[in-house]
Amino acid sequence: MLVGGGPSDTGLRTDAPPDTAVLIGRFQPLHRAHLALIRQALESTKMLVIVLGSARSARTVRNPLSDVERAGLIVEMLAGQGFDTGRVRLEAVPDFFYNLPLWVQAVRRAVGVERAVLHGFEKDASSFYLRLFPDWAFQPPGFQSKLNATAVREAMYSRDWQAVEQAVTPEVLAGLRTFADTPAFAELLADRQAIRALAQRGPVRSAGVLLVAGSHMLLKRRTERPGLGLWAIPEGPSAWEAARSVTRLLSRKLLESEEFRNRCLNAPGRTPGLDWQTEATLYTLPHRVPPSPGAAWVALSALQRTPETFFADHAQGITALLEDWPV
């Protein structure tokens, strides 16, 4: 979604200050400290590019709003607060948990200029991305704020609208209250409860098997929360038994060849609220085999076409396995 014009095709003078400011974040949701950053950026540059991170992914308790919904809230906030929306452009960029250089490239393409001023809060380890653009000038905030989106989300889930109102603008508050009346919000509350119950049991360690034949992969829809109904790499003993059955039908040489790959899906934040790691193994088959109950052959194109239908980081993990990204 775009607000204002697209990236400029004209070159920038190397002796002139950058005309473009960049603000990268998930904005889940946008709060008043973000608003102050936007104001600061627009006071010193002609154009501001707001990069919406974690785009095109399934809703989670940590990322409850889609990039389209976040963009809508930002546009409403900008208009309501009297900003010149022609000076702001919104760009959505997905996560690349297992290939950070690809994420950096995606952000650079979205911004569309070589020189820029990067604005942001250096608050904790999650702010590491600010150092991934060394050729961009960095402008820290000229103010202090204790606001954080985590507290705002918790207040929203508790329907403590008085606390939310203190942290966000009226436009964002109205949007969040509308969202809280949707089935999607009810699903998040159910996931939140399930995550808390799982977290009490300690770290989750699972193993999954991904079978790929030609242009399709064998996946299974999740029957439990979190992520109920989302596509996932089949996990558990049944997945391994299915793989063993397939290899017996084909040949044991499959296990001894380079037709399989393995990697641990363990990116921080892949399952917000849980310490969940999945040891995933990919087997490439010469043809499809009958799927086990609850599983289905899904086109590989779904990884790019509908990544929001995949659980956690499974779309990215599958891509990493298929393309053999470095571990």
Side-chain angles (χ1 to χ4, degrees):
M1 179 176 182
L2 300 179
V3 180
S8 172
D9 292 327
T10 60
L12 293 175
R13 290 175 55 88
T14 57
D15 58 345
D19 290 332
T20 300
V22 179
L23 181 58
I24 304 171
R26 292 183 298 111
F27 309 106
Q28 294 274 15
L30 185 90
H31 50 65
R32 291 185 182 275
H34 294 137
L35 173 62
L37 272 181
I38 292 172
R39 181 174 288 111
Q40 173 181 288
L42 290 175
E43 285 175 351
S44 58
T45 51
K46 295 179 180 179
M47 191 76 182
L48 169 62
V49 180
I50 299 178
V51 178
L52 303 174
S54 300
R56 301 194 66 204
S57 58
R59 298 183 195 273
T60 67
V61 174
R62 185 170 181 259
N63 292 320
L65 301 169
S66 71
D67 43 299
V68 173
E69 291 164 343
R70 285 177 284 158
L73 287 180
I74 292 174
V75 170
E76 291 176 8
M77 184 275 295
L78 290 172
Q81 296 294 312
F83 284 84
D84 179 3
T85 57
R87 296 176 58 200
V88 180
R89 177 161 53 87
L90 304 182
E91 296 287 350
V93 174
D95 290 325
F96 290 88
F97 284 137
Y98 301 104
N99 199 325
L100 196 56
L102 285 183
W103 179 81
V104 172
Q105 292 175 20
V107 171
R108 289 185 181 278
R109 284 195 301 270
V111 173
V113 297
E114 293 184 1
R115 300 176 65 244
V117 181
L118 183 60
H119 292 251
F121 296 102
E122 289 190 286
K123 52 184 181 179
D124 52 34
S126 66
S127 305
F128 75 95
Y129 65 88
L130 295 173
R131 303 185 182 279
L132 299 179
F133 305 90
D135 53 323
W136 290 353
F138 176 66
Q139 178 62 56
F143 58 90
Q144 293 183 348
S145 175
K146 295 182 179 180
L147 285 175
N148 67 85
T150 300
V152 179
R153 289 194 301 273
E154 286 302 308
M156 178 181 68
Y157 291 136
S158 302
R159 296 185 185 273
D160 184 355
W161 297 115
Q162 184 175 2
V164 176
E165 183 177 12
Q166 294 175 357
V168 305
T169 67
E171 301 81 15
V172 175
L173 175 64
L176 295 180
R177 297 197 71 150
T178 298
F179 175 64
D181 290 331
T182 65
F185 185 79
E187 290 289 314
L188 288 171
L189 292 181
D191 273 3
R192 182 168 173 259
Q193 184 175 359
I195 288 170
R196 289 182 170 182
L198 285 172
Q200 291 179 353
R201 305 176 191 174
V204 179
R205 299 293 181 264
S206 59
V209 175
L210 177 69
L211 302 180
V212 174
S215 61
H216 286 72
M217 55 190 162
L218 191 61
L219 301 178
K220 196 169 185 178
R221 288 199 183 274
R222 283 187 55 78
T223 58
E224 299 177 345
R225 295 187 183 277
L228 180 66
L230 296 175
W231 288 119
I233 298 172
E235 297 183 0
S238 61
W240 285 106
E241 181 56 38
R244 283 195 293 267
S245 297
V246 168
T247 56
R248 281 196 296 268
L249 287 172
L250 298 174
S251 170
R252 289 191 61 84
K253 292 182 180 179
L254 183 64
L255 288 171
E256 302 168 359
S257 71
E258 296 182 357
E259 295 296 317
F260 71 96
R261 295 173 184 158
N262 177 272
R263 74 179 297 137
C264 183
L265 305 186
N266 59 356
R270 64 182 296 262
T271 48
L274 289 174
D275 177 6
W276 188 341
Q277 297 182 16
T278 302
E279 194 73 24
T281 303
L282 163 70
Y283 295 95
T284 302
L285 308 181
H287 55 78
R288 293 185 225 174
V289 296
S292 59
W297 287 99
V298 178
L300 291 174
S301 60
L303 295 168
Q304 299 296 327
R305 191 178 67 253
T306 55
E308 63 277 5
T309 63
F310 286 76
F311 174 60
D313 63 342
H314 284 216
Q316 299 162 49
I318 292 170
T319 303
L321 281 166
L322 291 171
E323 299 182 1
D324 200 16
W325 288 353
V327 177

